[in-house]
Every structure is written in C-alpha cells, then in structure tokens.
Amino acid sequence: MILASSFLPRMLRTRTRTIFANGSVLGAANFPAVSAFSPQATIDVMACNGSLTFTRGKRSRAGGELQQKQKIVNMLSLISPRRKQPRRIKMSYEDLLRHRTVHRAWQLIVRARREERRLELQKQYYKMKHACDELQKASHVLYESAMEKPSPIRFPMEYRIPTLTPPRRIWDATWKPPAEEKKRKRTV
Amino acid sequence: MAARPHLRPSAGSTYLHTLQHQRHQALHTSTPLSKNSISIVHPIHHRIRYKKNQLQPAYKDILQTPKWDTQSHLFKPQYTQQSRLEEHYNTTIAPDLLLANFVHNERVIPGRKRQEWDGSSQYHINRPRRAPAGSAVETPDIKQRTFKNIPRLEAIWIHAFVRDAVRVNQERALPTMVMMQQITGKKPRPVYSKATVMTWRLRKNMMVGAKVKIQGPDMYQFFATLVEVVLPRIKEFKGIENTSGDMFGNISFGLDPADVKWFPEVEGNPELWPNLAGLHITLVTSAQTDPEARTMLSAFGLPFVGKERLHNVPSFEALEAIDRKKGIVYNY
C-alpha cells in the first residue's frame, strides 16, 4: 500500500521506495538532489497500516532513527485521506424519500428564518432613518447631540455569548461598570 | 443536438463535435436559388473536451451524482448541530451592529482611483490612466452602511512558518501541519519558499510551513475556542493591537509556540507535540474599514488594546465638493 503525500502538487508516480531497517532508503539520491518534501520529488513510502515494512531481515543498530522515520510516516498518514473516507450512505428508496422530504422541510424552515431576519433588519434600518429625519426637522441641537458617536465603538466584555448550560456564577449583584482607565504612558 | 456531458475537461481527452440546428441561410455567393439547387449550411463545430472513459455506464453512480446528494461518495453532512457563534451573531450582534454603525445621510467616501489625463495634450488620447494619487493601488469606495452590508466574519486564514524546516530538516514542518489539522478540522496545504537566500540557508521550493483557510461553522468553532479558551490562558495578553489591520477590514495577530499549546487538542496530550511553531491568524471580515471590523469582533469577546487607528475620512465640505463635481446633490 502506497502512502500518498497528497500535499505535493504533482501526481505520484507508481515507482516505490523501500526503507530498510536501518533507515536508509533504497535508490535515494543524496540531499539536496532528492528531498522528500520538495514539490518536484515523489515520495512513496512502502507502508502497511502506517508501519514500515522491511525487505531484508537486518536488525537495526540505530533504533532511534527508525523511530523517527516511523513518526514521520505516522504524521503523513494523519494528513493523508488514505483509508479515512467514510462509508457511502446506502438508502432504500423509501428511506431516500423520507430523507428528501425532511431535508426539503428543513431547508424551507432555514429559508423562512433567514427571510425573517432580513426583514427585521430592514425594518430597523428604515425606522432609524425616519427617526433621524424627523429629529433633524424638529430640533437641530438635539439632532447634533444624537448624531455623536463614541470612538472607538466597542461592545462590553460582559456581553456573554449564550451557552447550553448557565455559567457557574449566574448573577453578580455587586457588578459595576468598569471605570474608564486613565491614559497611561506605554513603558514597552 | 448531441448530448452535452457535464464533466470537467482534462488533458489528453477527445473532442466532441456538436452540430447546430440547420438554419435556412442564404448562400454567400449571389447565385439565385433554382429548383435543382440546395442550400448547404456548413455546420459550426464546438469542441468540448471530455474523457470518454468517464461516460461509461459503470461510472454513472460515482461520477454523475452531485456532491450534495446523499448517494454520492463525496457527501458530507453539514449543520448537524447549531453553530453557537453564528446564531449569536444573527440574533444579537447583527441588529446591534446595524445601530452602532448607522450614519444618517451618509455620503459615499470615494477611494483613491486611477486618474484620467486632462486632455491638454493630444497625446492624452488612449493613454493609460495614471496611478492613484497618494497610493500605489486603487482603494475601494466606502459605501453607505445599510442592513445589507453589516460586517460579518467571512473566513479565517491560519499560517505557520517553521524555522526549523529551513535550518534543520523539512520534516520539522509536519508536526505543525498536523496540529493545524487537529485544531481546525481541515487539511492544511504546505507553503514552499519562493526565493533562495544563502545567508539564511534557504533554497527555493523548500517546504517551510503550512496554511489553511476555514469558513462557515468550522470557522466559528475555531474562533470560539480561540477567544474563550486559548487567549485567556496566555499570560501577558491584554488584547490585540488596535493598529493591526490592512485598512479594509481584515485583522491579523499571532500566537507564540508557547501559546499554541493551550488549544484543547494539544493540551490534552502534550507529549505528542514536542516541537510546534507559532501561528499567524488573519480574520477576514466583510467590514469596509478596520474600526468597523474591530467593533464587530469585540462583540464576540475579542479584546483590543492600544491607540485606535481610525480610517481617514475626508471632511464634510470636501465630500460635498466631490459630489457637486459629479452632479450629485443631497437634499436634506
């Protein structure tokens, strides 16, 4: 089984290389002519379920180097999609009909929710616009005061994103808005 | 008309010649039509490349079912659970952002565009336009902020450069690549060096890092982990610099190698991750300016520190003058 390093831009050739027990590669040119990770090279590692196979029964003297190569093979197999494709879903005709019906119903619900949100935002925008138009006609001073905006605009840190379960401390009765920090000279 | 196969063209494939319907066309010569003459319409051959092998009946199920069909081998179920951050954005943040960013009677703020020649010389005709004033490239106009263009998080790019891949061995880039896959759920692509610099022992086309782009529910999941788990654990982290940004709504920041280990996937088994590189994280938003992007990101709990860098906005009078030149009049 060939371990495909599919992150290389060029398609693999079918030529394979064998790694001996001592870690040397059969037929490999020396660095830097052939590097395992250059885009022009082909890296074909004989691997069987992520482990190395040995073509000759030599005992390894440098066991550490072999372990290192094993680690690299493991990492490459993690990245590669080899043997990780999920099984194809096979459905009977009735199951297919059920799936399609449910899927369509859900898509309709999602669409309705999206439309509802869009309409809400549209209404909000036009209400704000009309309110500002009316205020401008009514009072110039109030209008100018209303048009002032803080700079920069930041949402408070206490603006918590909802979670499935409540927080450990549900309500803090002693909370006070943080006081504005004085301008400090940067020491770093 | 011959059937058109809906397949991507590829090299080394045959050509399919399709024939148009024969239309009644006058001959290009001026000979009159007599009883014994016929009108010959030359067919127009359209060449479509296709792989004939792929059209065999055995491949009909595999190749001709679309990706979204459950019967396809490429089917991937999506939206199996609620995307917490996305729902929060749609429900709470978007209406608040609409209010926060609202500017009454807003004018379009023009960006820097290529300049036309004034025509004082005859040689100005068909001459290419000049570079924009005050900028090397054209900058986009700042459009009016409405309910249609509320800033949202579009994508996150994660990029890692592994220095040991240059100094020691290209294999050193792999652990970081695997780590990126674990924290994002997407397969990263390798990054190769583009130049040779002898002083740094760098050669062209060396694998020196990896990058990955995440969008949609994956992106919101990663962002939630980052903001709620990783960043609070970093010592000496007060927030992202307010000066960070590319002027048009994309915010970048980095994580040190020591910070990366606070991701749950790495923290759970630290012995598996001995040598990790830091990450560059770029948040791509649909905001038109950096301050808008920061406002939006602060709603997710991302803190910012430092002096705010505001987008340079021309004065009201300057904008009015520009509009008057174009003939646009605002009636208040």
Side-chain angles (χ1 to χ4, degrees):
Chain A
M1 181 182 58
I2 298 162
L3 209 163
S5 53
S6 49
F7 56 76
L8 294 175
R10 245 199 2 208
M11 286 303 290
L12 296 170
R13 298 201 192 99
T14 52
R15 183 165 58 99
T16 59
R17 294 177 184 202
T18 53
I19 293 183
F20 287 95
N22 60 4
S24 61
V25 181
L26 175 70
N30 292 323
F31 180 86
V34 172
S35 171
F37 301 96
S38 73
Q40 280 76 42
T42 57
I43 173 165
D44 306 325
V45 176
M46 276 294 260
C48 209
N49 296 327
S51 63
L52 295 172
T53 55
F54 316 126
T55 55
R56 291 178 198 169
K58 278 189 178 171
R59 286 205 182 275
S60 70
R61 253 173 283 162
E65 207 182 311
L66 191 67
Q67 275 176 20
Q68 188 62 26
K69 291 228 180 327
Q70 183 68 66
K71 276 186 183 170
I72 292 158
V73 165
N74 286 342
M75 281 193 269
L76 285 171
S77 73
L78 281 171
I79 297 162
S80 134
R82 183 77 180 161
R83 288 175 70 88
K84 294 182 193 74
Q85 186 152 324
R87 186 180 274 281
R88 206 179 84 136
I89 298 167
K90 285 176 195 164
M91 284 199 269
S92 66
Y93 184 64
E94 286 83 11
D95 279 345
L96 198 64
L97 290 175
R98 284 185 202 108
H99 163 76
R100 280 183 193 163
T101 314
V102 168
H103 178 70
R104 278 188 168 177
W106 178 243
Q107 292 295 92
L108 282 170
I109 290 166
V110 164
R111 185 191 216 176
R113 284 182 188 171
R114 196 169 52 230
E115 272 302 307
E116 194 189 335
R117 282 198 302 263
R118 197 194 71 88
L119 274 169
E120 278 288 320
L121 290 169
Q122 187 180 6
K123 274 192 264 178
Q124 183 188 344
Y125 175 76
Y126 283 114
K127 279 196 190 294
M128 290 189 320
K129 193 171 182 301
H130 291 320
C132 288
D133 290 340
E134 293 295 313
L135 187 61
Q136 199 177 27
K137 288 174 200 166
S139 160
H140 187 74
V141 171
L142 287 173
Y143 174 76
E144 290 296 321
S145 168
M147 290 300 111
E148 281 171 9
K149 274 210 293 193
S151 173
I153 304 168
R154 292 280 181 272
F155 284 75
M157 290 300 287
E158 293 79 21
Y159 205 66
R160 188 173 162 273
I161 302 169
T163 48
L164 276 173
T165 51
R168 285 200 204 105
R169 199 170 177 191
I170 295 168
W171 190 258
D172 185 5
T174 57
W175 181 85
K176 283 197 184 84
E180 278 182 21
E181 280 186 359
K182 288 180 195 171
K183 281 189 184 175
R184 271 181 238 162
K185 212 174 175 186
R186 280 187 76 175
T187 51
V188 178
Chain B
M1 202 151 110
R4 280 170 142 255
H6 299 282
L7 295 164
R8 284 180 68 185
S10 55
S13 53
T14 55
Y15 287 101
L16 173 75
H17 297 271
T18 60
L19 302 176
Q20 273 199 337
H21 284 295
Q22 293 214 347
R23 288 173 278 134
H24 177 69
Q25 268 182 347
L27 297 172
H28 63 278
T29 53
S30 52
T31 51
L33 275 173
S34 61
K35 254 192 188 174
N36 295 330
S37 68
I38 49 166
S39 91
I40 296 165
V41 178
H42 294 284
I44 298 163
H45 289 97
H46 295 286
R47 288 173 164 190
I48 304 165
R49 282 187 166 201
Y50 74 103
K51 270 192 168 175
K52 203 170 171 184
N53 182 45
Q54 287 176 351
L55 287 177
Q56 60 178 286
Y59 287 164
K60 188 174 183 294
D61 279 339
I62 295 166
L63 291 175
Q64 291 184 40
T65 42
K67 247 196 232 183
W68 46 260
D69 194 357
T70 41
Q71 305 297 291
S72 164
H73 65 288
L74 298 167
F75 174 73
K76 187 184 166 187
Q78 290 188 29
Y79 295 103
T80 49
Q81 56 181 353
Q82 191 198 54
S83 176
R84 194 174 129 243
L85 252 68
E86 194 173 6
E87 284 297 320
H88 179 63
Y89 174 86
N90 287 333
T91 317
T92 314
I93 298 176
D96 285 354
L97 272 181
L98 178 62
L99 176 63
N101 292 332
F102 178 76
V103 176
H104 187 234
N105 289 338
E106 195 178 1
R107 286 172 187 275
V108 174
I109 298 166
R112 298 183 198 277
K113 308 289 178 197
R114 292 203 189 89
Q115 303 163 80
E116 298 281 353
W117 297 92
D118 51 18
S120 55
S121 163
Q122 275 188 346
Y123 298 105
H124 288 172
I125 298 165
N126 289 333
R127 185 183 279 182
R129 289 171 293 164
R130 277 165 39 199
S135 170
V137 292
E138 279 197 346
T139 56
D141 297 342
I142 308 297
K143 300 179 193 71
Q144 288 159 341
R145 283 156 262 246
T146 66
F147 62 95
K148 287 182 188 173
N149 58 1
I150 301 170
R152 69 184 303 137
L153 197 57
E154 299 282 321
I156 296 179
W157 274 102
I158 302 158
H159 166 264
F161 169 72
V162 184
R163 199 178 52 179
D164 283 349
V166 177
R167 288 189 180 184
V168 182
N169 203 338
Q170 286 183 71
E171 294 154 3
R172 291 290 181 105
L174 279 176
T176 306
M177 208 161 153
V178 174
M179 181 267 293
M180 278 165 70
Q181 183 183 278
Q182 292 299 98
I183 60 180
T184 59
K186 284 252 179 273
K187 179 179 165 176
R189 297 285 155 185
V191 169
Y192 299 102
S193 55
K194 293 189 173 72
T196 306
V197 182
M198 295 310 291
T199 43
W200 300 331
R201 286 174 281 168
L202 183 78
R203 277 177 297 109
K204 199 177 169 183
N205 293 334
M206 272 171 85
M207 182 177 158
V208 294
K211 66 181 181 185
V212 66
K213 179 185 183 185
I214 40 172
Q215 292 172 298
D218 288 338
M219 170 188 72
Y220 283 113
Q221 174 64 47
F222 174 79
F223 191 54
T225 318
L226 192 67
V227 168
E228 292 172 353
V229 176
V230 177
L231 293 179
R233 297 276 281 261
I234 300 169
K235 289 176 186 167
E236 311 288 334
F237 176 79
K238 297 292 169 208
I240 292 159
E241 289 290 323
N242 270 319
T243 53
S244 148
D246 73 337
M247 291 240 307
F248 301 109
N250 304 317
I251 312 292
S252 287
F253 60 97
L255 292 179
D256 288 332
D259 306 336
V260 163
K261 68 174 190 276
W262 296 125
F263 278 98
E265 290 84 1
V266 180
E267 198 192 1
N269 31 25
E271 66 277 358
L272 292 178
W273 310 101
N275 300 315
L276 287 177
L279 302 173
H280 296 288
I281 296 170
T282 302
L283 307 169
V284 179
T285 67
S286 66
Q288 294 187 78
T289 58
D290 286 350
E292 260 178 61
R294 280 182 221 116
T295 305
M296 188 263 291
L297 293 169
S298 68
F300 287 112
L302 199 58
F304 289 92
V305 290
K307 196 183 168 192
E308 174 79 3
R309 182 188 277 174
L310 296 169
H311 196 87
N312 278 335
V313 175
S315 68
F316 181 79
E317 287 78 20
L319 287 173
E320 218 174 13
I322 291 163
D323 280 340
R324 213 181 302 121
K325 244 192 206 176
K326 287 185 192 169
I328 301 166
V329 175
Y330 280 79
N331 295 317
Y332 296 118

